[in-house]
Amino acid sequence: MMQTNRDERACELARWIVENNATVRAAAKRFGISKSTVHKDLSERLRQIDRLLYEKVRLVLEQNKAKDRIIRNVNQECMFRCTLLTSGNGQNVNAID
């Protein structure tokens, strides 16, 4: 199967993401393309071209998504606690027991 420039880009993107444990956003910025293009290259093209590399990239991206979810949950909890601490008439409420 002859590879096109898009196929080559998909493989290059995938190798870079795996080597750098990078995000889709970082890859898009590094390669000067949109996040949508990165997603399409990885989810459609790479899956057909190199299944093993696709699985490696998928694992990295899943780990990144899990980290992002944890950070988002911690931030939400902090915001909730700050809201509790400053609720009322400007009086501090002991929300942490």
Side-chain angles (χ1 to χ4, degrees):
M1 177 179 172
M2 188 174 144
Q3 287 192 331
T4 65
N5 287 340
R6 290 177 181 169
D7 293 344
E8 291 170 12
R9 181 184 64 208
C11 291
E12 190 176 346
L13 274 167
R15 284 190 295 272
W16 188 82
I17 287 172
V18 171
E19 290 170 5
N20 295 285
N21 197 32
T23 62
V24 169
R25 180 175 293 192
K29 184 175 182 181
R30 164 73 169 77
F31 287 85
I33 56 179
S34 71
K35 292 186 298 182
S36 298
T37 301
V38 173
H39 277 291
K40 184 171 182 97
D41 280 356
L42 299 178
S43 65
E44 295 178 16
R45 291 188 181 98
L46 185 64
R47 187 184 308 186
Q48 295 174 356
I49 299 166
D50 187 335
R51 189 66 181 202
L52 180 61
L53 186 54
Y54 166 79
E55 290 299 329
K56 289 179 183 179
V57 170
R58 191 179 60 76
L59 287 174
V60 170
L61 296 179
E62 283 180 7
Q63 288 172 348
N64 289 340
K65 189 183 286 188
K67 288 177 193 175
D68 185 53
R69 215 174 287 126
I70 290 168
I71 291 169
R72 198 172 326 122
N73 289 341
V74 168
N75 286 340
Q76 286 177 343
E77 183 177 339
C78 287
M79 291 295 292
F80 176 73
R81 287 178 183 254
C82 287
T83 302
L84 285 179
L85 288 172
T86 59
S87 65
N89 296 326
Q91 299 172 354
N92 285 339
V93 176
N94 190 3
I96 306 171
D97 292 343

Coordinates of all heavy atoms in Angstrom, one line a residue:
M1 N 0.9 -1.2 0.0 CA 0.0 0.0 0.0 C 0.9 1.2 0.0 O 1.7 1.4 0.9 CB -0.9 0.0 1.2 CG -1.8 1.2 1.4 SD -2.8 1.0 2.9 CE -3.5 2.6 2.9
M2 N 0.7 2.1 -1.0 CA 1.5 3.3 -1.1 C 0.9 4.4 -0.1 O -0.3 4.6 0.0 CB 1.4 3.8 -2.5 CG 2.4 5.0 -2.7 SD 2.4 5.4 -4.5 CE 2.5 7.1 -4.4
Q3 N 1.9 5.0 0.7 CA 1.4 6.0 1.6 C 1.4 7.3 1.0 O 2.2 7.7 0.2 CB 2.4 6.0 2.8 CG 2.3 4.8 3.7 CD 3.0 5.1 5.0 OE1 4.0 5.8 5.1 NE2 2.5 4.4 6.1
T4 N 0.3 8.1 1.4 CA 0.2 9.4 0.9 C 0.8 10.4 1.9 O 1.3 9.9 3.0 CB -1.3 9.8 0.7 OG1 -1.9 9.8 2.0 CG2 -2.0 8.9 -0.2
N5 N 0.9 11.6 1.6 CA 1.4 12.6 2.6 C 0.6 12.6 3.8 O 1.1 12.8 4.9 CB 1.4 14.0 1.9 CG 2.5 14.2 0.9 OD1 3.5 13.4 0.9 ND2 2.4 15.1 0.0
R6 N -0.7 12.4 3.7 CA -1.6 12.4 4.9 C -1.3 11.2 5.7 O -1.3 11.2 7.0 CB -3.0 12.4 4.5 CG -3.5 13.7 3.9 CD -4.9 13.6 3.5 NE -5.4 14.8 2.9 CZ -6.5 15.0 2.2 NH1 -7.3 14.0 2.1 NH2 -6.8 16.2 1.7
D7 N -1.0 10.1 5.1 CA -0.7 8.8 5.8 C 0.7 9.0 6.5 O 0.8 8.6 7.7 CB -0.6 7.6 4.9 CG -1.9 7.3 4.3 OD1 -3.0 7.7 4.8 OD2 -1.9 6.5 3.3
E8 N 1.6 9.6 5.9 CA 2.9 9.9 6.5 C 2.8 10.8 7.7 O 3.4 10.6 8.7 CB 3.9 10.4 5.4 CG 4.3 9.4 4.4 CD 5.1 10.1 3.2 OE1 5.5 11.2 3.4 OE2 5.2 9.4 2.2
R9 N 2.0 11.8 7.5 CA 1.7 12.8 8.6 C 1.1 12.1 9.8 O 1.5 12.3 10.9 CB 0.8 13.9 8.1 CG 0.6 15.0 9.2 CD -0.4 16.1 8.8 NE -1.7 15.5 8.5 CZ -2.5 16.0 7.6 NH1 -2.2 17.1 6.9 NH2 -3.7 15.5 7.4
A10 N 0.1 11.2 9.5 CA -0.5 10.5 10.6 C 0.5 9.6 11.4 O 0.5 9.6 12.6 CB -1.6 9.6 10.0
C11 N 1.4 9.0 10.7 CA 2.4 8.2 11.4 C 3.4 9.1 12.2 O 3.8 8.7 13.3 CB 3.2 7.3 10.4 SG 2.2 6.0 9.7
E12 N 3.8 10.2 11.6 CA 4.7 11.1 12.2 C 4.0 11.7 13.5 O 4.7 11.8 14.5 CB 5.1 12.2 11.2 CG 6.2 13.1 11.8 CD 6.7 14.1 10.7 OE1 6.4 13.9 9.5 OE2 7.4 15.0 11.1
L13 N 2.8 12.1 13.3 CA 2.0 12.6 14.5 C 2.0 11.6 15.6 O 2.3 11.9 16.8 CB 0.6 12.9 14.1 CG 0.2 14.2 13.5 CD1 -1.2 14.2 12.9 CD2 0.3 15.3 14.6
A14 N 1.7 10.3 15.3 CA 1.5 9.3 16.2 C 2.9 9.0 17.0 O 2.9 8.9 18.2 CB 1.0 8.0 15.6
R15 N 3.9 8.9 16.2 CA 5.3 8.7 16.8 C 5.6 9.8 17.7 O 6.1 9.6 18.9 CB 6.3 8.5 15.7 CG 6.3 7.2 15.0 CD 7.5 6.9 14.2 NE 7.5 7.8 13.0 CZ 7.0 7.6 11.8 NH1 6.3 6.5 11.6 NH2 7.1 8.5 10.9
W16 N 5.4 11.1 17.3 CA 5.7 12.2 18.2 C 4.9 12.2 19.5 O 5.4 12.5 20.5 CB 5.5 13.5 17.4 CG 5.9 14.7 18.1 CD1 7.2 15.2 18.2 CD2 5.2 15.6 19.0 NE1 7.3 16.3 19.0 CE2 6.1 16.6 19.5 CE3 3.8 15.6 19.3 CZ2 5.6 17.6 20.3 CZ3 3.4 16.7 20.1 CH2 4.3 17.6 20.6
I17 N 3.6 11.9 19.4 CA 2.7 11.8 20.6 C 3.2 10.8 21.5 O 3.3 11.0 22.7 CB 1.3 11.6 20.2 CG1 0.7 12.9 19.5 CG2 0.4 11.2 21.4 CD1 -0.7 12.7 18.9
V18 N 3.5 9.6 21.0 CA 4.0 8.5 21.9 C 5.4 8.9 22.5 O 5.6 8.7 23.7 CB 4.1 7.2 21.1 CG1 4.8 6.1 21.9 CG2 2.7 6.7 20.7
E19 N 6.3 9.4 21.7 CA 7.6 9.7 22.2 C 7.6 10.8 23.3 O 8.4 10.8 24.2 CB 8.5 10.1 21.1 CG 8.9 9.0 20.2 CD 9.6 9.5 18.9 OE1 9.9 10.7 18.8 OE2 9.9 8.6 18.0
N20 N 6.7 11.8 23.1 CA 6.6 12.9 24.0 C 5.5 12.9 25.0 O 5.3 13.8 25.8 CB 6.5 14.2 23.2 CG 7.7 14.4 22.4 OD1 8.8 14.8 22.9 ND2 7.6 14.1 21.1
N21 N 4.7 11.8 25.0 CA 3.6 11.6 25.9 C 2.7 12.9 25.8 O 2.3 13.5 26.8 CB 4.0 11.4 27.3 CG 2.9 10.8 28.2 OD1 2.0 10.1 27.7 ND2 2.9 11.2 29.4
A22 N 2.5 13.3 24.5 CA 1.9 14.6 24.2 C 0.3 14.5 24.1 O -0.2 13.4 23.9 CB 2.5 15.2 23.0
T23 N -0.3 15.7 24.1 CA -1.7 15.8 23.9 C -2.0 16.1 22.5 O -1.1 16.5 21.7 CB -2.3 16.9 24.8 OG1 -1.7 18.1 24.4 CG2 -2.0 16.7 26.3
V24 N -3.3 15.9 22.1 CA -3.7 16.3 20.8 C -3.5 17.8 20.5 O -3.0 18.2 19.5 CB -5.2 16.0 20.6 CG1 -5.8 16.6 19.3 CG2 -5.4 14.5 20.6
R25 N -3.7 18.6 21.5 CA -3.5 20.1 21.4 C -2.1 20.4 21.1 O -1.7 21.2 20.3 CB -4.0 20.8 22.7 CG -3.8 22.3 22.6 CD -4.4 22.9 23.8 NE -5.8 22.7 23.8 CZ -6.7 23.3 24.5 NH1 -6.3 24.2 25.5 NH2 -8.0 23.1 24.4
A26 N -1.2 19.7 21.9 CA 0.3 19.9 21.7 C 0.7 19.5 20.3 O 1.5 20.2 19.6 CB 1.1 19.2 22.8
A27 N 0.2 18.4 19.8 CA 0.5 17.9 18.5 C 0.1 18.8 17.4 O 0.8 19.1 16.5 CB 0.0 16.5 18.3
A28 N -1.2 19.3 17.6 CA -1.7 20.2 16.6 C -0.8 21.5 16.5 O -0.5 22.0 15.4 CB -3.1 20.6 17.0
K29 N -0.4 22.0 17.7 CA 0.4 23.2 17.7 C 1.8 22.9 17.1 O 2.3 23.7 16.3 CB 0.6 23.7 19.1 CG 1.3 24.9 19.3 CD 1.4 25.4 20.7 CE 2.1 26.8 20.8 NZ 2.1 27.2 22.2
R30 N 2.4 21.8 17.4 CA 3.7 21.4 16.9 C 3.7 21.2 15.4 O 4.7 21.6 14.7 CB 4.1 20.1 17.6 CG 5.3 19.4 17.0 CD 6.6 20.1 17.3 NE 7.7 19.3 16.9 CZ 8.2 19.0 15.7 NH1 7.5 19.5 14.7 NH2 9.3 18.3 15.5
F31 N 2.6 20.6 14.9 CA 2.6 20.4 13.4 C 1.9 21.4 12.6 O 1.8 21.3 11.4 CB 2.0 19.0 13.2 CG 2.9 17.8 13.6 CD1 2.9 17.4 14.9 CD2 3.7 17.2 12.6 CE1 3.8 16.4 15.3 CE2 4.6 16.2 13.0 CZ 4.6 15.8 14.3
G32 N 1.3 22.4 13.3 CA 0.7 23.5 12.6 C -0.6 23.1 11.9 O -0.9 23.6 10.8
I33 N -1.4 22.2 12.5 CA -2.6 21.8 12.0 C -3.7 21.9 13.1 O -3.4 22.1 14.2 CB -2.5 20.3 11.4 CG1 -2.1 19.3 12.5 CG2 -1.6 20.3 10.2 CD1 -2.0 17.9 12.1
S34 N -4.9 21.7 12.7 CA -6.0 21.8 13.7 C -6.1 20.5 14.5 O -5.7 19.4 14.1 CB -7.4 22.0 13.0 OG -7.8 20.9 12.3
K35 N -6.8 20.6 15.7 CA -7.0 19.5 16.5 C -7.9 18.5 15.8 O -7.7 17.3 16.0 CB -7.6 19.9 17.9 CG -6.7 20.7 18.8 CD -7.3 21.0 20.1 CE -8.5 21.8 20.0 NZ -9.1 22.1 21.3
S36 N -8.8 19.0 15.0 CA -9.7 18.1 14.3 C -8.9 17.2 13.3 O -9.2 16.0 13.1 CB -10.7 18.9 13.5 OG -11.6 19.6 14.4
T37 N -7.9 17.8 12.7 CA -7.1 17.1 11.7 C -6.3 16.0 12.4 O -6.1 14.9 12.0 CB -6.2 18.1 10.9 OG1 -7.0 19.0 10.2 CG2 -5.3 17.3 10.0
V38 N -5.7 16.4 13.6 CA -5.0 15.4 14.4 C -5.9 14.2 14.7 O -5.5 13.1 14.5 CB -4.4 16.0 15.7 CG1 -3.8 15.0 16.6 CG2 -3.4 17.1 15.4
H39 N -7.1 14.5 15.2 CA -8.1 13.5 15.6 C -8.4 12.6 14.3 O -8.4 11.3 14.4 CB -9.4 14.0 16.1 CG -9.3 14.4 17.5 ND1 -9.2 13.4 18.5 CD2 -9.3 15.6 18.2 CE1 -9.2 14.0 19.7 NE2 -9.3 15.3 19.5
K40 N -8.6 13.2 13.2 CA -8.9 12.4 12.0 C -7.8 11.6 11.6 O -7.9 10.4 11.2 CB -9.4 13.4 10.9 CG -9.8 12.6 9.6 CD -10.4 13.6 8.6 CE -10.9 12.8 7.4 NZ -12.3 12.5 7.4
D41 N -6.6 12.2 11.6 CA -5.4 11.4 11.2 C -5.2 10.2 12.1 O -4.9 9.1 11.6 CB -4.1 12.3 11.3 CG -4.0 13.2 10.0 OD1 -4.8 13.1 9.1 OD2 -3.0 14.0 10.0
L42 N -5.4 10.4 13.4 CA -5.1 9.3 14.3 C -6.2 8.3 14.4 O -6.0 7.1 14.4 CB -4.9 9.9 15.7 CG -3.7 10.8 15.9 CD1 -3.5 11.3 17.3 CD2 -2.4 10.1 15.4
S43 N -7.5 8.7 14.4 CA -8.6 7.8 14.6 C -9.0 7.1 13.3 O -9.4 5.9 13.3 CB -9.8 8.5 15.1 OG -10.3 9.5 14.2
E44 N -8.8 7.7 12.1 CA -9.2 7.1 10.9 C -8.0 6.6 10.1 O -7.9 5.4 9.8 CB -10.0 8.1 10.0 CG -11.3 8.4 10.7 CD -12.1 9.4 9.9 OE1 -11.8 9.6 8.7 OE2 -13.1 10.0 10.4
R45 N -7.1 7.4 9.8 CA -6.0 7.1 8.9 C -5.0 6.1 9.6 O -4.7 5.0 9.0 CB -5.2 8.3 8.4 CG -6.0 9.1 7.5 CD -5.2 10.2 6.8 NE -6.1 11.0 5.9 CZ -6.7 12.2 6.3 NH1 -6.5 12.7 7.5 NH2 -7.5 12.8 5.4
L46 N -4.6 6.4 10.8 CA -3.6 5.6 11.4 C -4.1 4.2 11.7 O -3.4 3.2 11.6 CB -3.1 6.3 12.7 CG -2.0 5.6 13.4 CD1 -0.7 5.6 12.6 CD2 -1.7 6.3 14.8
R47 N -5.4 4.1 12.1 CA -6.0 2.8 12.4 C -5.8 1.9 11.2 O -5.6 0.7 11.4 CB -7.4 3.0 12.8 CG -8.1 1.7 13.3 CD -9.5 1.8 13.6 NE -9.8 3.0 14.5 CZ -11.0 3.2 14.9 NH1 -12.0 2.4 14.7 NH2 -11.2 4.3 15.7
Q48 N -6.0 2.4 10.0 CA -5.9 1.6 8.8 C -4.4 1.3 8.4 O -4.1 0.3 7.8 CB -6.6 2.2 7.7 CG -8.1 2.3 7.9 CD -8.8 3.1 6.8 OE1 -8.2 3.7 5.9 NE2 -10.1 3.2 6.9
I49 N -3.5 2.2 8.7 CA -2.2 2.1 8.3 C -1.3 1.3 9.2 O -0.6 0.4 8.7 CB -1.5 3.6 8.2 CG1 -2.3 4.4 7.3 CG2 0.0 3.5 7.8 CD1 -1.9 5.9 7.4
D50 N -1.4 1.6 10.5 CA -0.5 0.9 11.5 C -1.3 0.7 12.8 O -1.3 1.5 13.6 CB 0.7 1.8 11.7 CG 1.8 1.1 12.5 OD1 1.5 0.2 13.3 OD2 3.0 1.5 12.4
R51 N -1.9 -0.5 12.9 CA -2.7 -0.8 14.0 C -2.0 -0.8 15.3 O -2.5 -0.3 16.4 CB -3.4 -2.2 13.8 CG -4.5 -2.5 14.8 CD -5.6 -1.6 14.6 NE -6.7 -1.9 15.5 CZ -7.9 -1.6 15.4 NH1 -8.4 -1.0 14.3 NH2 -8.8 -2.0 16.3
L52 N -0.7 -1.3 15.4 CA 0.1 -1.3 16.6 C 0.4 0.1 17.1 O 0.2 0.5 18.3 CB 1.4 -2.1 16.4 CG 2.3 -2.2 17.6 CD1 1.6 -2.9 18.8 CD2 3.6 -2.9 17.2
L53 N 0.8 1.0 16.2 CA 1.1 2.4 16.5 C -0.2 3.1 17.0 O -0.2 3.9 17.9 CB 1.7 3.1 15.3 CG 2.2 4.5 15.6 CD1 3.1 4.6 16.7 CD2 2.8 5.1 14.3
Y54 N -1.3 2.8 16.3 CA -2.6 3.3 16.7 C -2.9 3.0 18.1 O -3.4 3.8 18.9 CB -3.7 2.8 15.8 CG -5.1 3.0 16.3 CD1 -5.7 4.3 16.1 CD2 -5.8 2.0 16.9 CE1 -7.0 4.5 16.6 CE2 -7.1 2.3 17.4 CZ -7.7 3.5 17.2 OH -8.9 3.8 17.7
E55 N -2.7 1.7 18.5 CA -3.0 1.3 19.9 C -2.1 2.0 20.9 O -2.5 2.4 22.0 CB -2.8 -0.2 20.1 CG -3.9 -1.0 19.3 CD -5.3 -0.7 19.8 OE1 -5.5 -0.4 21.0 OE2 -6.3 -0.8 19.0
K56 N -0.8 2.2 20.6 CA 0.1 3.0 21.4 C -0.4 4.4 21.7 O -0.4 4.9 22.8 CB 1.5 3.0 20.9 CG 2.2 1.6 20.9 CD 3.6 1.7 20.3 CE 4.3 0.4 20.3 NZ 5.6 0.5 19.7
V57 N -0.8 5.1 20.6 CA -1.3 6.4 20.6 C -2.6 6.5 21.5 O -2.8 7.4 22.3 CB -1.5 7.0 19.2 CG1 -2.3 8.4 19.3 CG2 -0.2 7.2 18.5
R58 N -3.5 5.6 21.2 CA -4.7 5.5 21.9 C -4.5 5.4 23.4 O -5.1 6.1 24.2 CB -5.6 4.3 21.5 CG -7.0 4.3 21.9 CD -7.8 3.2 21.4 NE -7.2 1.9 21.8 CZ -7.4 1.3 23.0 NH1 -8.0 2.0 23.9 NH2 -6.8 0.2 23.3
L59 N -3.5 4.6 23.9 CA -3.2 4.5 25.3 C -2.7 5.8 25.9 O -3.1 6.3 27.0 CB -2.2 3.4 25.5 CG -2.7 2.0 25.4 CD1 -1.6 1.0 25.5 CD2 -3.8 1.7 26.4
V60 N -1.8 6.5 25.1 CA -1.3 7.8 25.6 C -2.4 8.8 25.7 O -2.5 9.5 26.7 CB -0.2 8.3 24.6 CG1 0.2 9.8 25.0 CG2 1.0 7.4 24.7
L61 N -3.3 8.9 24.7 CA -4.4 9.8 24.7 C -5.4 9.5 25.8 O -5.9 10.4 26.5 CB -5.0 9.9 23.4 CG -4.1 10.4 22.2 CD1 -4.9 10.4 20.9 CD2 -3.6 11.8 22.6
E62 N -5.6 8.2 26.1 CA -6.5 7.9 27.2 C -5.9 8.3 28.5 O -6.7 8.7 29.4 CB -6.8 6.4 27.2 CG -7.8 6.0 26.1 CD -8.1 4.5 26.1 OE1 -7.7 3.8 27.0 OE2 -8.8 4.1 25.2
Q63 N -4.6 8.1 28.7 CA -4.0 8.5 30.0 C -4.1 10.0 30.1 O -4.3 10.5 31.2 CB -2.5 8.1 30.0 CG -2.3 6.6 30.1 CD -0.9 6.2 30.0 OE1 0.0 6.9 29.5 NE2 -0.6 4.9 30.3
N64 N -3.9 10.8 29.1 CA -4.0 12.2 29.1 C -5.4 12.6 29.5 O -5.6 13.6 30.3 CB -3.6 12.8 27.8 CG -2.1 12.7 27.5 OD1 -1.3 12.5 28.4 ND2 -1.7 12.9 26.3
K65 N -6.4 12.0 28.9 CA -7.8 12.3 29.2 C -8.1 12.0 30.7 O -8.8 12.8 31.3 CB -8.7 11.5 28.3 CG -10.2 11.9 28.4 CD -11.1 11.0 27.6 CE -10.9 11.4 26.1 NZ -11.9 10.7 25.3
A66 N -7.6 10.9 31.2 CA -7.8 10.6 32.6 C -7.1 11.6 33.5 O -7.8 12.0 34.5 CB -7.2 9.2 32.9
K67 N -5.9 12.0 33.2 CA -5.3 13.1 34.0 C -6.1 14.4 34.0 O -6.2 15.0 35.0 CB -3.9 13.3 33.5 CG -2.9 12.3 33.7 CD -1.5 12.6 33.1 CE -0.6 11.4 33.0 NZ 0.6 11.8 32.3
D68 N -6.5 14.7 32.8 CA -7.3 15.9 32.7 C -8.6 15.9 33.5 O -9.0 16.8 34.1 CB -7.7 16.2 31.2 CG -8.4 17.5 31.0 OD1 -7.9 18.5 31.4 OD2 -9.5 17.4 30.4
R69 N -9.2 14.7 33.5 CA -10.5 14.5 34.3 C -10.2 14.7 35.8 O -10.9 15.3 36.5 CB -11.0 13.1 34.0 CG -12.5 13.1 34.0 CD -13.1 11.7 33.6 NE -12.9 11.5 32.2 CZ -12.3 10.4 31.6 NH1 -11.8 9.5 32.4 NH2 -12.2 10.3 30.3
I70 N -9.1 14.1 36.3 CA -8.7 14.2 37.7 C -8.4 15.7 38.0 O -8.9 16.2 39.0 CB -7.4 13.4 38.0 CG1 -7.8 11.9 37.9 CG2 -6.9 13.7 39.3 CD1 -6.6 11.0 37.9
I71 N -7.7 16.4 37.2 CA -7.4 17.8 37.5 C -8.7 18.6 37.5 O -8.9 19.5 38.4 CB -6.4 18.4 36.4 CG1 -5.0 17.7 36.6 CG2 -6.3 19.9 36.4 CD1 -4.1 18.0 35.5
R72 N -9.6 18.4 36.5 CA -10.9 19.1 36.5 C -11.7 18.8 37.8 O -12.2 19.8 38.3 CB -11.6 18.6 35.3 CG -12.7 19.6 34.9 CD -13.4 19.3 33.6 NE -12.5 18.7 32.6 CZ -12.7 17.5 32.0 NH1 -13.8 16.8 32.3 NH2 -11.9 17.1 31.1
N73 N -11.7 17.6 38.2 CA -12.4 17.3 39.5 C -11.8 18.0 40.7 O -12.6 18.5 41.6 CB -12.5 15.8 39.7 CG -13.4 15.1 38.7 OD1 -14.3 15.7 38.1 ND2 -13.2 13.8 38.5
V74 N -10.5 18.0 40.8 CA -9.9 18.7 41.9 C -10.2 20.2 41.9 O -10.5 20.8 42.9 CB -8.3 18.4 41.9 CG1 -7.6 19.3 42.8 CG2 -8.0 17.0 42.2
N75 N -10.1 20.7 40.7 CA -10.4 22.2 40.6 C -11.9 22.5 40.9 O -12.1 23.5 41.6 CB -10.1 22.7 39.1 CG -8.7 22.8 38.8 OD1 -7.8 22.9 39.8 ND2 -8.3 22.8 37.6
Q76 N -12.8 21.6 40.5 CA -14.2 21.8 40.9 C -14.4 21.7 42.4 O -15.1 22.5 43.0 CB -15.1 20.8 40.2 CG -15.3 21.1 38.7 CD -16.1 20.0 38.0 OE1 -16.3 18.9 38.5 NE2 -16.6 20.4 36.9
E77 N -13.7 20.8 43.0 CA -13.8 20.6 44.5 C -13.2 21.9 45.2 O -13.8 22.3 46.2 CB -13.1 19.4 45.0 CG -13.2 19.1 46.4 CD -12.6 17.9 46.9 OE1 -12.3 16.9 46.1 OE2 -12.3 17.8 48.1
C78 N -12.1 22.4 44.7 CA -11.5 23.6 45.3 C -12.5 24.8 45.2 O -12.7 25.5 46.1 CB -10.2 23.9 44.6 SG -8.9 22.8 45.1
M79 N -13.1 24.9 44.0 CA -14.0 26.0 43.8 C -15.2 25.9 44.7 O -15.7 26.8 45.3 CB -14.5 26.0 42.4 CG -13.5 26.4 41.4 SD -12.9 28.1 41.6 CE -14.3 29.0 41.1
F80 N -15.7 24.6 44.9 CA -16.8 24.4 45.8 C -16.5 24.7 47.2 O -17.2 25.4 47.9 CB -17.2 22.9 45.7 CG -18.3 22.5 46.7 CD1 -19.6 22.9 46.5 CD2 -18.1 21.7 47.8 CE1 -20.7 22.6 47.3 CE2 -19.1 21.4 48.7 CZ -20.4 21.8 48.4
R81 N -15.3 24.3 47.7 CA -14.8 24.6 49.0 C -14.7 26.1 49.2 O -15.0 26.7 50.3 CB -13.6 23.9 49.4 CG -13.8 22.4 49.6 CD -12.5 21.7 49.9 NE -12.7 20.2 50.0 CZ -12.7 19.6 51.1 NH1 -12.5 20.2 52.2 NH2 -12.9 18.3 51.1
C82 N -14.1 26.8 48.3 CA -13.9 28.3 48.4 C -15.3 28.9 48.5 O -15.5 29.9 49.2 CB -13.2 28.8 47.1 SG -11.4 28.4 47.2
T83 N -16.3 28.4 47.7 CA -17.6 29.0 47.8 C -18.2 28.8 49.2 O -18.8 29.7 49.7 CB -18.5 28.3 46.7 OG1 -18.0 28.5 45.4 CG2 -19.9 28.9 46.7
L84 N -18.0 27.6 49.7 CA -18.5 27.4 51.1 C -17.8 28.2 52.1 O -18.5 28.7 53.0 CB -18.3 25.9 51.4 CG -19.3 24.9 50.8 CD1 -18.9 23.5 51.3 CD2 -20.7 25.2 51.1
L85 N -16.5 28.4 52.0 CA -15.8 29.2 52.9 C -16.2 30.6 53.0 O -16.1 31.3 54.0 CB -14.3 29.0 52.7 CG -13.7 27.7 53.0 CD1 -12.3 27.6 52.5 CD2 -13.7 27.4 54.5
T86 N -16.6 31.2 51.8 CA -16.9 32.6 51.7 C -18.4 32.8 51.6 O -18.9 33.9 51.3 CB -16.2 33.2 50.6 OG1 -16.6 32.6 49.4 CG2 -14.7 33.2 50.7
S87 N -19.2 31.8 51.9 CA -20.7 32.0 51.7 C -21.2 32.7 52.9 O -20.6 32.8 54.0 CB -21.4 30.6 51.6 OG -21.2 29.9 52.8
G88 N -22.4 33.3 52.8 CA -23.0 34.0 53.9 C -22.7 35.5 53.7 O -22.5 36.0 52.6
N89 N -22.7 36.2 54.8 CA -22.5 37.7 54.8 C -21.0 38.0 55.0 O -20.6 38.8 55.8 CB -23.3 38.3 56.0 CG -24.7 38.1 55.8 OD1 -25.2 38.1 54.7 ND2 -25.5 37.9 56.9
G90 N -20.2 37.4 54.1 CA -18.8 37.7 54.2 C -18.1 37.0 55.4 O -16.9 37.2 55.6
Q91 N -18.8 36.2 56.1 CA -18.3 35.5 57.3 C -17.7 34.2 56.8 O -18.2 33.5 55.9 CB -19.3 35.2 58.3 CG -20.0 36.5 58.9 CD -21.2 36.2 59.8 OE1 -21.5 35.0 59.9 NE2 -21.7 37.2 60.4
N92 N -16.6 33.8 57.4 CA -16.0 32.5 57.1 C -16.7 31.4 57.7 O -17.1 31.5 58.9 CB -14.5 32.5 57.5 CG -13.6 33.3 56.7 OD1 -13.9 33.6 55.5 ND2 -12.5 33.7 57.2
V93 N -17.0 30.4 56.9 CA -17.7 29.2 57.4 C -16.7 28.1 57.4 O -16.0 27.9 56.4 CB -18.9 28.9 56.5 CG1 -19.6 27.6 57.0 CG2 -19.9 30.0 56.5
N94 N -16.6 27.3 58.5 CA -15.6 26.2 58.5 C -16.2 25.0 57.7 O -17.0 24.3 58.3 CB -15.3 25.8 59.9 CG -14.1 24.9 60.0 OD1 -13.6 24.5 59.0 ND2 -13.8 24.4 61.2
A95 N -15.8 24.9 56.5 CA -16.4 23.8 55.6 C -15.5 22.6 55.6 O -15.9 21.6 55.1 CB -16.5 24.4 54.2
I96 N -14.3 22.7 56.2 CA -13.4 21.6 56.2 C -13.3 21.0 57.6 O -12.8 21.7 58.5 CB -12.0 22.0 55.7 CG1 -12.1 22.7 54.4 CG2 -11.1 20.8 55.7 CD1 -10.8 23.3 53.9
D97 N -13.9 19.9 57.9 CA -13.9 19.3 59.2 C -13.1 18.0 59.2 O -12.9 17.3 58.3 CB -15.3 18.9 59.6 CG -16.1 20.2 59.9 OD1 -15.6 21.2 60.1 OD2 -17.4 20.0 59.9

